Amino acid sequence: MSKKVRVRFAPSPTGGLHLGGVRTVLFNYLFAKQNGGDFIVRIEDTDQGRFVAGAEEYILNTLKWCGLEPDESPLHGGPYAPYRQSERKANYKQYAEQLVHDGYAYYAFDTSEELEAKRKEVPNFQYNQFTRGGMNNSLTLSKDEVQEKLVSTPYVVRIKMVEDETVVFTDMIRGEVSFNTSQVDDKVLLKADGMPTYHLAVVVDDYLMKISHAFRGEEWLPSAPVHILLWKYLGWEADMPQWAHLPLILKPDGNGKLSKRDGDRLGFPVFAMDWTDPKTLETTIGFKERGFLPEAFVNLLAMLGWNDGTDREIFTLKELVEKFSMERVHKGGAKFDYEKAKWYNHEWIKGSEVESLESGVKTEFEKNGVVITDHTLLAKVIGLVKDRCTLLPDFVQQGSFFFQSPDTIDVAAVKPKWDEKKNLFFTELIRAYELSTLWEVHDLEKEFKELAAANQLKPGDLMLPFRIMLVGGKFGPGVFDIAALIGKGETVRRIEHTLGLIEH
RNA sequence: GGCCGGUUCGUCUAUCGGCUAGGACAGCCCCCUUUCACGGGGCAAAGACGGGUUCGAUUCCCGUACCGGCUACCA
């Protein structure tokens, strides 16, 4: 009885994919998968002025990284191709004509300059039921004039908003929402270049692609009445999707929608992945490149405006598909908190299996010039340090000394308390370790402490110097864990090296 | 300005009219750790305001305030 669930994400390819955009994708995806439906990506490239090369590919790549692959898209194909509105251009005009023919729309010949002048002259000028009588359009011009202008000048098609009617619809998140048509203006449906505006394109394509549920950002709420009227005027009311207007993601400080600028200003990513503007060649950092795990990114996005009603905060995509419900999506916008975002990543890194971290961590090391040849060692290192890594690049700081000698040794941290007794201890330690046949954490610690006792030194005074010899600074996992992993030769070499540095 | 939407700790949020308003992030303190983290424990921190309805309102209704979105031949 009820039709198949089909949802769509309809971005316009103008740049990087923003947090809010990915969350819209996520909610679409979760709803579709939960209901055994299809998730479609349709590219809304009707504004050639704002079109940015590469943006479409970037968007699809981002979805892939997030694990939110569409069932149908320009890339994946599908039964309702093409999935780019620019390639569907021929579709729209007939519907615009139909609307004009049925009296729901009209041709308007006012030039951009004329409209601009009008807006200057009349504050808050709206092209609507009260003003259209004074403009150049098929409602005010004679039939002959209209015919003549239709062939000789550019024109647009505008919706003829009815007077004083209440448009009511039920939003899945907000409940009943109503608008009076006298407040809404005569939106352009078909532009002078023959391209539809969003308003026409979205209803025509949602109809043609049999979309059952339309989810989009709250910023679209004010134009919902236009779309609903269009569904009605085109005679498709029975097929109209159910609407849900998602709350916005807000700036962490102050108020307003979160924008790319805020990320630049506050030092955190706003785009999912790195985005390089093809014109300015400026790169904006993404969550991926900052070292977020896609699972964590999806998780944190889901929790921005939704929860399952319990205290639980960590969910896999699969769990989200099961538990998600549009009814539990909030009405109000949420300020984005980068600290909390990092917490999600940390939780995911801690909870991830070593194997699933390997390739990402290896990439980070290589980016920093640390060559990984021993993958058994890599796995051990990841297991040892992952609890202390919030973002993937933290592995480099926490673990590169396992693969190569530290670049710098913080000699200044040991020198002030250095004395001949300590020097002697480490010299003896070298010999003891060289002679040792066992190289396990436990044995290393035992030998170290016994030798300290024999020299009447407190182990506590020796651990820090030892740590600095091995890792270069005051950080990292347990010293004996480190010594055990890097091996006898390397341990001895690093002690000797630092001893040499202290001498001078 | 107009229309529409929103409003619980600093932030994200829980609460299907009955509360000592719960959790998480951040903050602070303590423990653990002879580094730094992780971990464990604790402290502090909220119902915008005013009216109703009700035995009882954070929860329902109205108004006010504040915040946001929209108001393009952009999406």
Side-chain angles (χ1 to χ4, degrees):
Chain A
M1 191 63 219
S2 61
K3 58 183 175 179
K4 174 158 196 189
V5 167
R6 287 176 57 79
V7 301
R8 101 275 118 134
F9 174 58
S12 85
T14 53
L17 226 207
H18 173 275
L19 275 178
V22 183
R23 194 191 52 173
T24 302
V25 172
L26 177 61
F27 286 6
N28 267 288
Y29 179 91
L30 295 177
F31 185 84
K33 295 304 143 192
Q34 178 173 74
N35 293 289
D38 298 325
F39 169 51
I40 292 111
V41 168
R42 183 177 69 220
I43 301 295
E44 309 234 341
D45 53 350
T46 55
D47 184 358
Q48 68 269 58
R50 297 210 311 157
F51 178 85
V52 176
E56 175 188 316
E57 191 191 1
Y58 167 93
I59 289 167
L60 266 357
N61 281 339
T62 297
L63 301 195
K64 185 170 187 178
W65 177 66
C66 294
L68 306 173
E69 292 245 32
D71 298 295
E72 299 167 27
S73 82
L75 185 68
H76 302 76
Y80 300 92
Y83 291 91
R84 270 181 214 105
Q85 289 184 328
S86 59
E87 292 168 18
R88 303 170 65 82
K89 185 175 174 182
N91 278 133
Y92 309 105
K93 189 167 183 171
Q94 54 174 309
Y95 296 110
E97 299 285 349
Q98 181 190 324
L99 288 164
V100 173
H101 178 265
D102 294 341
Y104 295 124
Y106 58 90
Y107 300 112
F109 307 102
D110 318 272
T111 64
S112 312
E113 293 72 36
E114 286 166 353
L115 289 171
E116 207 174 304
K118 197 81 185 174
R119 289 193 183 100
K120 242 182 197 159
E121 178 195 330
V122 185
N124 298 321
F125 173 78
Q126 296 281 289
Y127 205 119
N128 61 18
Q129 54 193 276
F130 306 110
T131 61
R132 64 183 168 229
M135 308 298 289
N136 289 316
N137 53 53
S138 59
L139 266 19
T140 59
L141 268 22
S142 74
K143 232 176 182 146
D144 291 344
E145 280 175 306
V146 170
Q147 283 313 315
E148 189 271 319
K149 278 188 183 292
L150 247 22
V151 296
S152 66
T153 65
Y155 62 89
V156 300
V157 174
R158 284 180 184 271
I159 186 169
K160 187 181 170 191
M161 200 46 66
V162 281
E163 285 171 37
D164 199 31
E165 212 174 82
T166 303
V167 177
V168 185
F169 74 99
T170 303
D171 184 282
M172 292 172 77
I173 294 168
R174 283 148 220 286
E176 203 168 88
V177 182
S178 65
F179 295 85
N180 188 293
T181 55
S182 58
Q183 300 295 338
V184 354
D185 61 339
D186 291 354
K187 291 277 180 232
V188 168
L189 301 178
L190 198 71
K191 301 188 256 190
D193 64 3
M195 277 288 196
T197 59
Y198 172 81
H199 306 295
L200 211 219
V202 75
V203 342
V204 167
D205 285 336
D206 281 354
Y207 170 74
L208 262 17
M209 294 184 177
K210 297 193 163 32
I211 300 304
S212 63
H213 300 261
F215 308 144
R216 67 221 309 194
E218 189 187 349
E219 69 268 28
W220 290 108
L221 204 45
S223 50
V226 176
H227 307 149
I228 287 159
L229 253 17
L230 248 19
W231 276 91
K232 193 168 148 191
Y233 293 162
L234 258 2
W236 305 331
E237 206 175 3
D239 296 315
M240 186 170 79
Q242 275 190 261
W243 302 95
H245 291 87
L246 274 22
L248 268 12
I249 296 178
L250 277 13
K251 302 177 195 296
D253 61 338
N255 296 297
K257 273 202 280 194
L258 178 68
S259 71
K260 182 180 101 57
R261 285 255 167 268
D262 299 311
D264 298 344
R265 182 170 57 86
L266 272 9
F268 61 78
V270 166
F271 289 160
M273 306 195 307
D274 271 9
W275 164 254
T276 302
D277 186 292
K279 283 203 188 77
T280 63
L281 257 30
E282 219 177 295
T283 296
T284 307
I285 185 106
F287 279 85
K288 178 179 182 230
E289 289 76 7
R290 263 293 165 90
F292 277 80
L293 261 23
E295 295 87 347
F297 184 55
V298 162
N299 191 162
L300 74 91
L301 247 22
M303 302 310 285
L304 232 39
W306 176 87
N307 69 79
D308 76 340
T310 73
D311 289 338
R312 187 163 173 200
E313 298 188 89
I314 303 298
F315 295 92
T316 62
L317 219 209
K318 194 167 166 262
E319 290 165 336
L320 289 171
V321 168
E322 283 165 22
K323 295 179 188 287
F324 183 75
S325 69
M326 206 46 89
E327 292 71 28
R328 287 198 65 86
V329 174
H330 302 155
K331 297 181 174 81
K335 286 185 186 172
F336 179 67
D337 181 358
Y338 187 54
E339 291 306 316
K340 184 84 187 221
K342 285 194 291 191
W343 175 80
Y344 279 103
N345 205 248
H346 192 185
E347 289 301 308
W348 268 94
I349 287 182
K350 283 192 293 175
S352 291
E353 298 293 329
V354 168
E355 307 85 77
S356 70
L357 256 16
E358 275 177 25
S359 97
V361 172
K362 188 179 178 194
T363 309
E364 285 302 327
F365 274 124
E366 282 166 356
K367 256 197 259 174
N368 286 275
V370 180
V371 185
I372 308 291
T373 46
D374 183 346
H375 286 79
T376 311
L377 177 62
L378 176 65
K380 284 183 182 164
V381 169
I382 291 173
L384 208 50
V385 306
K386 72 183 170 107
D387 282 0
R388 53 189 72 212
C389 296
T390 298
L391 299 172
L392 254 16
D394 294 344
F395 278 95
V396 177
Q397 149 80 358
Q398 291 294 333
S400 48
F401 52 82
F402 285 104
F403 304 98
Q404 55 185 219
S405 301
D407 297 331
T408 57
I409 304 289
D410 187 4
V411 182
V414 297
K415 248 185 170 165
K417 289 184 178 177
W418 193 254
D419 55 30
E420 199 41 47
K421 284 185 79 178
K422 285 180 183 167
N423 196 33
L424 187 65
F425 168 82
F426 280 103
T427 312
E428 286 179 18
L429 184 67
I430 291 171
R431 207 175 57 223
Y433 276 174
E434 271 177 338
L435 292 172
S436 114
T437 48
L438 300 160
W439 199 258
E440 297 297 327
V441 179
H442 175 77
D443 308 304
L444 293 171
E445 183 169 357
K446 194 165 163 250
E447 279 183 84
F448 188 95
K449 288 187 173 168
E450 281 172 1
L451 192 59
N455 283 275
Q456 287 167 320
L457 282 164
K458 280 187 280 186
D461 294 336
L462 302 164
M463 301 272 272
L464 187 68
F466 191 32
R467 164 176 301 282
I468 287 171
M469 290 169 181
L470 297 188
V471 315
K474 300 183 210 173
F475 56 89
V479 270
F480 301 108
D481 288 308
I482 298 168
L485 268 190
I486 61 178
K488 183 188 286 188
E490 188 61 24
T491 300
V492 167
R493 209 162 14 252
R494 289 187 193 183
I495 298 172
E496 284 172 340
H497 175 68
T498 307
L499 250 23
L501 290 177
I502 294 170
E503 287 298 302
H504 301 95

